């Protein structure tokens, strides 16, 4: 027997309509390309998104067409998000920091029909035009008429000014109703693991993720909060924050292109931001600025960090020097992206000092609505004792089932679980802690060694700026850890003294067999250590 409740498609346009009707004047603030502030509310976003749909229709964009974006976090980009998805087309956010070859590959693979491009990325269009001319017919520059740059399109490609096509458009549009499983947005993983792969979100997955991410033990996105996503809207939908804010009425502060410590401090304080979200590299930059300038964060209560492991220093320094709580989330492009969040249960409320920091380094508890488990090499589920570590698998309605272009379900195992590629423990309270990426874990004599654990210890050495541990093939043990370190500016590193910091911290057999001091370490476009490059260079280090 079916229940007798109303049935309604969970659509992104309904998130926007809710924001417009119930949080009409909740602040949506952007720092523009020129550095000025642009302010409006959700009623304006909704009205302008309707106007944009009408403009996109004139360009010939229809259902399921891909609308690509190369843009920073700002209001025009937000309008494209809602207009493209709301009309039944697909908003395809592209990471402009990738190599142009990858960007061209992604645009062609997605078959983008139109591109919305920020002024900063106009030169990219000149580089890409010839390589994307088979699919891209229109390029819309996200600016006013006075700021239109010189763009060299390929023959047959049209270039428009966003504000001009908006002025020529109208708002005579009613958001359509359609199946909630319709594709809404597309985002390619940044390629730490090879060629970028497309994750195709649906209205339903986005809606459910926005609900779960807004909950008290996650973003706690109340109408009285003001949230600044430093995490780019081109990287997994800025962790879902543009949707969560419309849903809850929390203020949305969009920082534009200046993400350095000084610019962020000004914006955070001027706009009374209470929560800000981004990757550890950003927070290290902010911390450094606060320390050298002596400035204080006047309104921020919480910093959400994720995307890569949290350095302990972040937790300690922001707590002790700024009175700000650093909270960790974990996720992936394939998870929309938030999977876990580290918020305390009652048992963790009393933690202090080193115990507090140790706990803060865990990636956190699963969001309600999805599930996780850890398994050994044979697929057998491992206990939640905080000790056993194995491959982390996840399942749920905002987790990818296949990559764009592949058969539905092709990214899952026979029981419908998605292998994250992370290796982790889960403690009895359900807090997951990543110990490694599956391909980075060092398999020495049949036992596993966590590269991340070794890296975290290496950076506690006073002269070490950054550390990478990789598996290097070994004639006796299959693989052994090799440590590469870079020195802090003006310092030099004594390799033997680095090994000393491991004393008493790890089992003897975990110790790296060699320490190499290098000038710099390679990073991906999203700022993560690029271990594939290091492995290629050093995989036979112990064989020679
Ligand atoms: P890519 O896989 O291309 O790097 P993602 O942004 O989707 O792109 O990255 C997901 C991966 O980032 C996760 O599988 C995990 O390894 C890492 N990650 C995300 N959040 C955290 C975190 N809080 N701590 C440690 N690693 C994290």
């Amino acid at each position: 027997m079916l229940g007798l409740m109303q049935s309604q498609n969970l659509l992104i346009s309904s998130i926007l309509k809710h924001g417009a009707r119930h949080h009409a004047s909740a602040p949506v603030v952007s720092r523009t390309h020129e550095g000025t502030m642009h302010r409006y509310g959700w009623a304006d976003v909704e009205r302008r998104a309707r106007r944009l749909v009408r403009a996109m229709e004139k360009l010939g964009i229809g259902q399921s067409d891909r609308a690509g974006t190369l843009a920073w976090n700002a209001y025009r980009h937000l309008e494209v998000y809602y207009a493209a998805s709301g009309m039944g087309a697909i908003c395809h956010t592209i990471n402009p920091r990738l190599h142009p070859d990858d960007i061209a590959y992604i645009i062609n693979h997605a078959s983008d029909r139109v591109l919305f491009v920020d002024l900063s990325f106009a030169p990219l269009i000149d580089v890409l035009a010839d390589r994307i001319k088979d699919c891209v017919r229109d390029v819309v520059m996200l600016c006013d008429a006075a700021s239109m740059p010189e763009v060299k399109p390929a023959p047959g490609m049209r270039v428009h000014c966003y504000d001009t096509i908006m002025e020529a458009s109208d708002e005579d549009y009613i958001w359509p109703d359609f199946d909630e499983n319709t594709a809404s947005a597309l985002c390619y993983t940044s390629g730490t693991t090879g060629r970028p792969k497309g994750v195709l979100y649906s209205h339903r997955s986005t809606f459910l993720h926005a609900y779960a991410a807004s909950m008290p033990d996650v973003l706690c996105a109340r109408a009285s909060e003001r949230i600044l996503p430093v995490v780019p809207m081109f990287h997994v939908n800025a962790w879902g924050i543009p949707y969560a804010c419309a849903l809850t009425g929390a203020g949305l502060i969009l920082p534009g292109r200046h993400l350095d410590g000084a610019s962020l401090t000004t914006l955070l304080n001027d706009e009374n931001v209470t929560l800000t979200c981004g990757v550890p590299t950003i927070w290290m930059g902010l911390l450094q600025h606060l320390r050298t300038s002596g400035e204080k964060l006047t309104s921020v209560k919480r910093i959400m960090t994720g995307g890569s492991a949290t350095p302990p220093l972040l937790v300690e320094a922001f707590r002790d020097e700024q009175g700000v709580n650093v909270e960790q989330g974990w996720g992936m492009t394939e998870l929309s992206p938030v999977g876990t969040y580290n918020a305390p249960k009652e048992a963790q409320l009393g933690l202090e000092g080193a115990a507090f920091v140790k706990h803060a380094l865990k990636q956190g508890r699963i969001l309600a609505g999805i599930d996780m488990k850890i398994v050994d090499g044979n697929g057998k589920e491992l206990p939640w004792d905080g000790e056993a570590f194995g491959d982390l698998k996840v399942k749920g309605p905002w987790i990818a089932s296949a990559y764009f272009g592949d058969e539905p379900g092709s990214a899952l195992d026979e029981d419908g679980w998605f292998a994250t590629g992370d290796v982790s423990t889960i403690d009895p309270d359900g807090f997951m802690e990543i110990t490694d990426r599956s391909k980075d874990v060092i398999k020495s004599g049949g036992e596993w060694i966590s590269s991340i654990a070794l890296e975290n210890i290496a950076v506690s050495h006073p002269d070490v700026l950054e550390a990478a541990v990789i598996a290097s093939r070994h004639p006796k043990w299959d693989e052994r850890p090799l440590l590469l370190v870079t020195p802090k500016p003006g310092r030099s590193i004594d390799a033997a003294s680095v090994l000393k910091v491991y004393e008493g911290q790890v089992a003897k057999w975990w110790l790296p067999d060699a320490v190499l001091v290098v000038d710099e370490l390679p990073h991906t476009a999203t700022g993560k250590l690029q271990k594939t490059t290091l492995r290629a260079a050093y995989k036979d280090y112990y064989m020679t």
Side-chain angles (χ1 to χ4, degrees), residues 16 30 85 107 123 126 138 211 231 256 261 284 293 307 309 313 337 346 366 372-373 381 390 400 468 486 512 519 540:
L16 182 60
S30 310
S85 302
I107 290 174
D126 300 346
D138 293 280
Y211 251 86
V231 52
M284 292 305 273
S293 67
L313 170 71
E346 215 176 5
I366 198 83
M372 66 177 171
K373 66 175 180 180
E381 192 163 352
T486 59
D519 290 338
D540 289 331

Side-chain angles (χ1 to χ4, degrees), residues 394-456:
V394 288
K395 192 179 205 172
W398 59 86
I399 296 166
S401 89
Y403 292 100
F404 184 53
D406 294 350
E407 281 298 306
S410 55
L412 308 179
D413 68 16
E414 59 276 16
D415 299 319
W417 290 85
F418 175 84
T420 61
D422 288 319
V423 174
S424 64
T425 60
I426 304 177
D427 74 16
D429 280 323
F431 287 84
M432 184 273 284
E433 182 166 18
I434 294 187
T435 53
D436 229 322
R437 294 283 291 166
S438 317
K439 54 190 189 326
D440 295 338
V441 81
I442 297 124
K443 294 178 176 135
S444 172
E447 301 285 344
W448 288 11
I449 299 173
S450 159
S451 68
I452 294 177
L454 294 181
E455 286 159 8
N456 286 343

Side-chain angles (χ1 to χ4, degrees), residues 189-192 235 306-309 328-333 363 420 422 434 437 528:
T189 63
S190 42
T192 353
H235 196 197
S308 56
Q328 182 166 196
W330 163 88
M332 330 172 54
T333 308
Q363 276 67 25
T420 61
D422 288 319
I434 294 187
R437 294 283 291 166
K528 299 182 191 192

Side-chain angles (χ1 to χ4, degrees), residues 21-41:
R21 188 167 158 79
H22 299 281
H23 303 288
S25 56
V28 178
V29 179
S30 310
R31 189 156 51 194
T32 66
H33 189 82
E34 295 74 29
T36 57
M37 301 309 294
H38 175 277
R39 297 170 194 280
Y40 62 0

Side-chain angles (χ1 to χ4, degrees), residues 107-235:
I107 290 174
N108 282 302
H109 190 264
S111 204
D112 288 332
R113 173 65 195 69
V114 55
L115 288 181
F116 290 90
V117 183
D118 254 353
L119 285 178
S120 321
F121 308 118
L124 248 182
I125 297 302
D126 300 346
V127 175
L128 294 172
D130 269 344
R131 288 191 267 174
I132 57 175
K133 63 178 185 311
D134 289 345
C135 54
V136 175
R137 271 185 280 156
D138 293 280
V139 174
V140 181
M141 300 307 302
L142 295 169
C143 63
D144 59 21
S147 317
M148 269 303 275
E150 279 285 326
V151 181
K152 296 189 208 80
M157 214 181 256
R158 298 176 296 184
V159 179
H160 313 267
C161 162
Y162 184 87
D163 284 10
T164 307
I165 61 167
M166 285 290 272
E167 265 162 45
S169 184
D170 62 68
E171 291 150 15
D172 184 14
Y173 185 75
I174 294 171
W175 295 107
D177 187 29
F178 44 75
D179 186 335
E180 64 187 18
N181 291 300
T182 304
S184 60
L186 179 62
C187 185
Y188 281 70
T189 63
S190 42
T192 353
T193 53
R195 266 294 198 198
K197 290 179 280 194
V199 178
L200 187 62
Y201 307 107
S202 71
H203 285 258
R204 177 183 155 82
S205 70
T206 305
F207 197 106
L208 294 175
H209 176 266
Y211 251 86
S214 301
M215 284 179 62
D217 274 354
V218 193
L219 294 175
C220 192
R222 309 180 68 154
S224 51
E225 299 278 324
R226 282 177 164 228
I227 307 180
L228 187 153
V230 183
V231 52
M233 288 166 68
F234 58 71
H235 196 197

Side-chain angles (χ1 to χ4, degrees), residues 200-537:
L200 187 62
Y201 307 107
S202 71
H203 285 258
R204 177 183 155 82
S205 70
T206 305
F207 197 106
L208 294 175
H209 176 266
Y211 251 86
S214 301
M215 284 179 62
D217 274 354
V218 193
L219 294 175
C220 192
R222 309 180 68 154
S224 51
E225 299 278 324
R226 282 177 164 228
I227 307 180
L228 187 153
V230 183
V231 52
M233 288 166 68
F234 58 71
H235 196 197
V236 224
N237 303 323
W239 297 349
I241 293 163
Y243 304 114
C245 288
L247 201 62
T248 62
L252 177 62
I253 316 298
L254 299 170
R257 65 192 166 119
H258 295 295
L259 306 177
D260 57 282
S263 308
L264 282 179
T265 304
T266 307
L267 192 61
L268 291 167
N269 288 345
D270 286 359
E271 299 300 331
N272 287 315
V273 171
T274 54
L275 166 67
T276 178
C277 310
V279 295
T281 323
I282 291 287
W283 308 132
M284 292 305 273
L286 178 63
L287 178 65
Q288 201 164 4
H289 168 76
L290 293 169
R291 282 180 165 179
T292 48
S293 67
E295 283 185 87
K296 288 275 175 244
L297 295 177
T298 52
S299 54
V300 174
K301 303 273 176 297
R302 293 180 296 140
I303 288 178
M304 174 189 178
T305 186
S308 56
T310 308
L313 170 71
L314 272 190
V315 180
E316 289 161 357
F318 276 103
R319 181 196 56 188
D320 300 343
E321 298 165 27
Q322 299 286 336
V324 171
N325 218 14
V326 171
E327 299 178 353
Q328 182 166 196
W330 163 88
M332 330 172 54
T333 308
E334 291 88 337
L335 271 81
S336 299
V338 187
T340 66
Y341 200 86
N342 188 340
K345 287 184 173 176
E346 215 176 5
Q348 286 83 37
L349 281 177
L351 290 178
E352 280 178 26
F356 173 86
V357 176
K358 188 166 183 286
H359 182 75
L361 301 186
K362 298 190 176 199
Q363 276 67 25
R365 294 185 278 117
I366 198 83
L367 267 57
I370 58 174
D371 200 5
M372 66 177 171
K373 66 175 180 180
I374 42 173
V375 298
D376 67 13
N378 301 316
K380 189 169 146 292
E381 192 163 352
L382 293 167
W384 293 20
D385 57 8
E387 299 285 331
F389 59 97
D391 291 316
L392 176 67
K393 293 191 163 192
V394 288
K395 192 179 205 172
W398 59 86
I399 296 166
S401 89
Y403 292 100
F404 184 53
D406 294 350
E407 281 298 306
S410 55
L412 308 179
D413 68 16
E414 59 276 16
D415 299 319
W417 290 85
F418 175 84
T420 61
D422 288 319
V423 174
S424 64
T425 60
I426 304 177
D427 74 16
D429 280 323
F431 287 84
M432 184 273 284
E433 182 166 18
I434 294 187
T435 53
D436 229 322
R437 294 283 291 166
S438 317
K439 54 190 189 326
D440 295 338
V441 81
I442 297 124
K443 294 178 176 135
S444 172
E447 301 285 344
W448 288 11
I449 299 173
S450 159
S451 68
I452 294 177
L454 294 181
E455 286 159 8
N456 286 343
I457 296 170
V459 292
S460 67
H461 186 282
D463 299 325
V464 172
L465 178 68
E466 205 179 11
V469 172
I470 57 158
S472 187
R473 292 202 301 134
H474 192 278
K476 180 165 177 206
W477 301 108
D478 289 341
E479 292 176 354
R480 289 296 302 158
L482 173 67
L483 170 63
L484 294 107
V485 284
T486 59
K488 285 184 180 158
R491 301 278 184 80
S492 62
I493 298 176
D494 167 28
S497 71
V498 179
L499 288 179
K500 282 236 157 54
V501 295
Y502 287 100
E503 272 172 23
Q505 303 223 48
V506 293
K508 276 228 165 64
W509 61 273
W510 274 43
L511 274 190
D513 292 19
V515 182
L516 303 182
V517 180
V518 293
D519 290 338
E520 59 178 347
L521 291 168
H523 292 92
T524 67
T526 48
K528 299 182 191 192
L529 270 177
Q530 195 156 38
K531 291 203 185 169
T532 39
T533 315
L534 291 176
R535 265 197 303 271

